[in-house]
Amino acid sequence: MKGQLRLTQPIRPSVQWRQRLPILVIIVVAILGAVILREYLSFEALRENRAALIAFRDSNYLLTAAAFILAYIAIVSFSLPGATAATLTGGFLFGLFPGAAFNLISATIGAIMIFWAVRAGFGRAMAARIDASDGRVKRLTMAIRANEFPVLFSLRLMPVLPFFVMNVIPALIGVRTSVFAASTFLGIMPGGLIYTWVGAGLGEVFARDETPDLGIIFEPHILGPLLGLAALSLLPTIVKSLRGKEREL
């Protein structure tokens, strides 16, 4: 009974504000970053500063790698503009490997930061409300929870929802951190490899005074396999659902 009483006690307003402080900081920094840093976190900024970046990398490789990873994590954590430019920069400075590893690890850590912030501020309360409700939202939530990894993995593969949205929704419905982290890392891997590969070839693009084709991921020969892999990852979930309906009949 004592344990149940503790679960039903309302959270004090002061505690609620402390829990929501991280997400409020993210929102404020994101707004300021969109206004102040947009010009500095862009492809054009990379083009203009490429010589200085290469010189610094050649003189301080480990420091450059550490600074890049921390900057990338900050960009994702605070939803700052320039995530695509950062991915290209990773390929440009470090090549396909370890550039792709730096990009994927940094993006995943940044996503986890947002996930934790949203869950701490709103996720637990929202999940409790969903569990206490009865309707379509609860049924949809329960369906996702029953197939967390394949659903989240497929949504990461398909460029349908914005990256930030895919960090928030799982936190609101109570997805486990381990599942979120694994589905994020593996789900963004194909796209991350493609953009890192594009970044690795920026030297020739700069030499021709051109702009890289960032829409390459939407080309049929690339988007098709990604959609096929997403559909394949959902196949066990579909089979499980069909079997459940057969049993009901």
Side-chain angles (χ1 to χ4, degrees):
M1 292 296 292
K2 290 182 180 180
Q4 292 178 354
L5 288 175
R6 289 195 188 98
L7 290 175
T8 57
Q9 287 178 350
I11 301 176
R12 290 177 299 174
S14 59
V15 176
Q16 287 183 337
W17 276 109
R18 285 199 299 271
Q19 291 176 340
R20 293 175 181 176
L21 182 59
I23 193 64
L24 294 175
V25 171
I26 288 175
I27 293 173
V28 172
V29 174
I31 294 173
L32 293 176
V35 176
I36 300 174
L37 300 177
R38 183 173 295 277
E39 294 182 2
Y40 300 97
L41 301 175
S42 64
F43 173 75
E44 292 303 324
L46 174 60
R47 183 198 295 271
E48 294 173 2
N49 296 281
R50 63 186 185 277
L53 288 172
I54 292 175
F56 187 81
R57 178 207 62 191
D58 292 341
S59 301
N60 308 275
Y61 188 89
L62 293 179
L63 179 59
T64 304
F68 171 79
I69 291 172
L70 291 176
Y72 200 132
I73 292 173
I75 289 173
V76 177
S77 298
F78 294 106
S79 298
L80 298 173
T84 301
T87 305
L88 295 175
T89 302
F92 176 68
L93 290 178
F94 307 107
L96 184 59
F97 184 84
F102 292 163
N103 287 336
L104 293 172
I105 292 172
S106 302
T108 301
I109 293 175
I112 292 173
M113 295 295 185
I114 297 179
F115 175 83
W116 279 345
V118 173
R119 188 174 66 174
F122 304 98
R124 290 188 176 91
M126 181 65 70
R129 290 180 182 178
I130 291 174
D131 291 338
S133 66
D134 185 18
R136 183 177 300 176
V137 174
K138 182 178 180 179
R139 291 195 297 271
L140 178 60
T141 301
M142 296 304 292
I144 294 176
R145 289 178 183 172
N147 305 279
E148 287 180 341
F149 183 84
V151 171
L152 295 179
F153 176 71
S154 63
L155 288 174
R156 286 293 192 188
L157 278 175
M158 295 182 292
V160 176
L161 296 176
F163 192 76
F164 175 79
V165 174
M166 280 303 302
N167 297 332
V168 171
I169 292 178
L172 294 178
I173 64 176
V175 171
R176 291 168 294 168
T177 300
S178 58
V179 174
F180 175 81
S183 62
T184 297
F185 182 82
L186 296 175
I188 66 176
M189 185 178 292
L193 288 172
I194 291 170
Y195 281 125
T196 305
W197 172 65
V198 172
L202 281 182
E204 296 179 3
V205 174
F206 289 142
R208 297 193 300 267
D209 196 25
E210 296 177 352
T211 302
D213 180 15
L214 300 184
I216 188 174
I217 198 170
F218 295 103
E219 293 291 331
H221 64 282
I222 292 179
L223 183 60
L226 290 180
L227 294 177
L229 183 59
L232 186 62
S233 69
L234 287 175
L235 186 59
T237 303
I238 296 172
V239 172
K240 181 180 177 181
S241 177
L242 292 175
R243 287 179 177 177
K245 291 181 179 180
E246 288 178 357
R247 290 174 183 175
E248 291 177 0
L249 295 176

